Amino acid sequence: MRPFSYLRAATAEEALDAFAARPGAQFLGGGTNLVDLMKLGVTAPEFLIDVSRLPLDSVETTPEGGLHIGATVRNSDLAAHPVVRTRYTALSQALLSGASGQLRNTATTGGNLLQRTRCPYFQDTSKPCNKREPGTGCPARDGVHRDLAVLGHSAHCVATHPSDMAVALAALDATVQVRGAGGERTVPVTDLHRLPGDRPDVDTVLRPGELITGVTLPPRADGGHSGYRKARDRASYAFALASVAATVRVEGGLVRDASLAFGGLAHRPWRARAAEEVLRGAPATVETYARAADAELAAAEPLRDNAFKVTLTRNLTVNVLSDLASRAEEGARPPT
Amino acid sequence: MPERGAPEIPVSLVSLRVNGTWLSLRLDNRTTLLDALREHLDLVGAKKGCDHGQCGACTVLVGGRRANSCLLLAVACDGSDVTTVEGLAEGERLHPVQEAFVAHDALQCGYCTPGQICSAVGMLAEAAEGHPSYATAPDRLAADSSPGQGAPEPFDALEIRERMSGNLCRCGAYPNIVDAIAEAARS
């Protein structure tokens, strides 16, 4: 690992000033991904600005009835928060499906969003990789890519974004608060991560030196249910082969409203708006859910060894929506 | 001796309270908490298994919460309270989780055991605070649960396995590890 200087920032201003003085710096959150990438030689910052103890560690109800989550809130604390469990269940489930108890205690909300792909070529500095070293090529396209993208990939990169949390946030219409030298701005979480195109080295729309300070969830409509389901190679502690986050509101046997996002399929959490179009106003049936999944997955371009992800995602979608809709109906039934 | 003209290696003064004792260390910023414990403090209970946060053998308690010490920079832990497996017993009296591991023969080679035990201690504290897991049924998860309401019910083998999935055991002693933790959870 390359030697580096270290500064623990006490305030966001101090962190931004420190970056301005040394643009080669990187922000350090919980470090569960960054420290590993430094060990692997994938990244070699000469200056780390530790933002893990910034006073951004609270979860608060917003005046509109939503929820604001500070960037340094740990994944485990967020998953266990009573309001997240009851009103944003998909987020709690997504967090709990990710990593391990130890890692969730350390990983932060901001850092989770900014973690890098686990594509094996990206993590192996003896291999070419357009994301790590632009212009060197993408051996994953014709190589080991069973776990990689089926949607939105390019000739230059077939990596997936590994976060579970971000998939739930995408379905829940979260926004991300960002601070930089130019002031503060808000980015919808669905716009935070880029598709690879011809610049796979750029993961997000954040400008150099911009710092995530928090995430805001809008209020949830009454009577809606949300959930997250993840398929993986072992029962626990593995990245998603495919995952689905969904919110559903059913009234009188019809889908009144629904949102859907896929994980493990693309360079960013994949908000499935074509599927949502099919769902809205349609009968709350398995046939509708399958038709919705198919509408979205028509855009899939599987690689040689990962076409199974398309079927898997279709089945997960039907499963999650059926489950949520039946819980919604049970909740709507008058107590006997 | 550093090579002539070589840039200076940045170091930091790091204060840690390790197993109840405050210590001050001058460390290369690259030093992980695991290396600080093993190489600088001779506390070799926590093991360097994979060194990438994938096996859990390095698990210690930081501020009472379980963490992978191989992925924590020691300098970022400055001021923290760290408990290793060496600090769990009170004198000659083993921690209840240690007792349970002995009683249930919850190990074979023993390499993962310090991490398993520290992880179990941290995990049981999380459960006692009412933290859910991915194995917690959705209706229980979504039920209003304020902190401090005790372990989720049922706290069965499924819950224990899910909550302990960050600790691998290459000998496959899992059945006895689960039994040991179930007993410690009851006591």
Side-chain angles (χ1 to χ4, degrees), chain A residues 74-93:
Chain A
R74 268 38 186 189
N75 287 180
S76 50
D77 294 327
L78 185 56
H81 193 278
V83 176
V84 177
R85 291 175 63 169
T86 52
R87 307 275 298 166
Y88 305 95
T89 310
L91 177 57
S92 192
Q93 288 177 318

Side-chain angles (χ1 to χ4, degrees), chain A residues 61-79:
Chain A
T61 309
T62 65
E64 300 77 36
L67 201 65
H68 179 76
I69 303 156
T72 63
V73 173
R74 268 38 186 189
N75 287 180
S76 50
D77 294 327
L78 185 56

Side-chain angles (χ1 to χ4, degrees), chain A residues 104-128:
Chain A
R104 291 192 294 271
N105 279 338
T106 306
T108 63
T109 306
N112 185 312
L113 286 171
L114 297 180
Q115 64 180 307
R116 312 294 310 271
T117 185
R118 298 315 197 276
C119 174
Y121 299 97
F122 174 72
Q123 297 198 99
D124 181 350
T125 57
S126 74
K127 303 284 195 302

Side-chain angles (χ1 to χ4, degrees), chain A residues 42 114 116-117 122 129-137 154 156-159 194-206 267:
Chain A
V42 171
L114 297 180
R116 312 294 310 271
T117 185
F122 174 72
C129 169
N130 285 325
K131 184 181 278 299
R132 179 167 31 77
E133 277 183 78
T136 55
S154 74
H156 305 279
C157 182
V158 295
R194 297 175 63 257
L195 289 180
D198 59 2
R199 287 300 304 277
D201 53 315
V202 185
D203 285 356
T204 71
V205 300
L206 296 187
H267 200 257

Side-chain angles (χ1 to χ4, degrees), chain A residues 258-273:
Chain A
S259 67
L260 199 60
F262 300 152
L265 302 189
H267 200 257
R268 67 179 185 206
W270 191 271
R271 180 69 184 258
R273 298 198 192 271

Side-chain angles (χ1 to χ4, degrees), chain A residues 286-312:
Chain A
V286 166
E287 290 70 29
T288 297
Y289 308 147
R291 206 154 45 80
D294 289 341
E296 190 69 41
L297 294 165
E301 294 180 280
L303 306 167
R304 185 192 61 231
D305 290 334
N306 68 4
F308 76 97
K309 284 192 172 198
V310 177
T311 321
L312 184 60

Side-chain angles (χ1 to χ4, degrees), chain B residues 163-185:
Chain B
R163 290 166 189 261
M164 291 295 294
S165 67
N167 291 85
L168 305 188
C169 170
R170 289 295 296 272
C171 302
Y174 295 114
N176 291 4
I177 292 172
V178 172
D179 289 349
I181 294 172
E183 183 186 302

Side-chain angles (χ1 to χ4, degrees), chain A residues 131-243:
Chain A
K131 184 181 278 299
R132 179 167 31 77
E133 277 183 78
T136 55
C138 176
R141 270 203 84 82
D142 298 314
V144 178
H145 56 226
R146 173 183 170 272
D147 297 353
L148 300 178
V150 297
L151 283 165
H153 52 73
S154 74
H156 305 279
C157 182
V158 295
T160 51
H161 194 261
S163 170
D164 295 292
M165 180 191 82
V167 181
L169 291 178
L172 292 166
D173 285 316
T175 56
V176 181
Q177 284 71 53
V178 172
R179 271 185 75 171
E184 295 184 40
R185 63 183 181 124
T186 295
V187 182
V189 76
T190 46
D191 294 344
L192 177 69
H193 299 94
R194 297 175 63 257
L195 289 180
D198 59 2
R199 287 300 304 277
D201 53 315
V202 185
D203 285 356
T204 71
V205 300
L206 296 187
R207 298 165 194 139
E210 277 189 325
L211 179 70
I212 292 178
T213 56
V215 171
T216 302
L217 292 163
R220 295 273 293 128
D222 287 333
H225 285 255
S226 75
Y228 184 77
R229 182 120 196 248
K230 173 176 178 179
R232 42 190 158 172
D233 281 331
R234 57 185 185 190
S236 183
Y237 196 20
F239 290 99
L241 294 167
S243 69

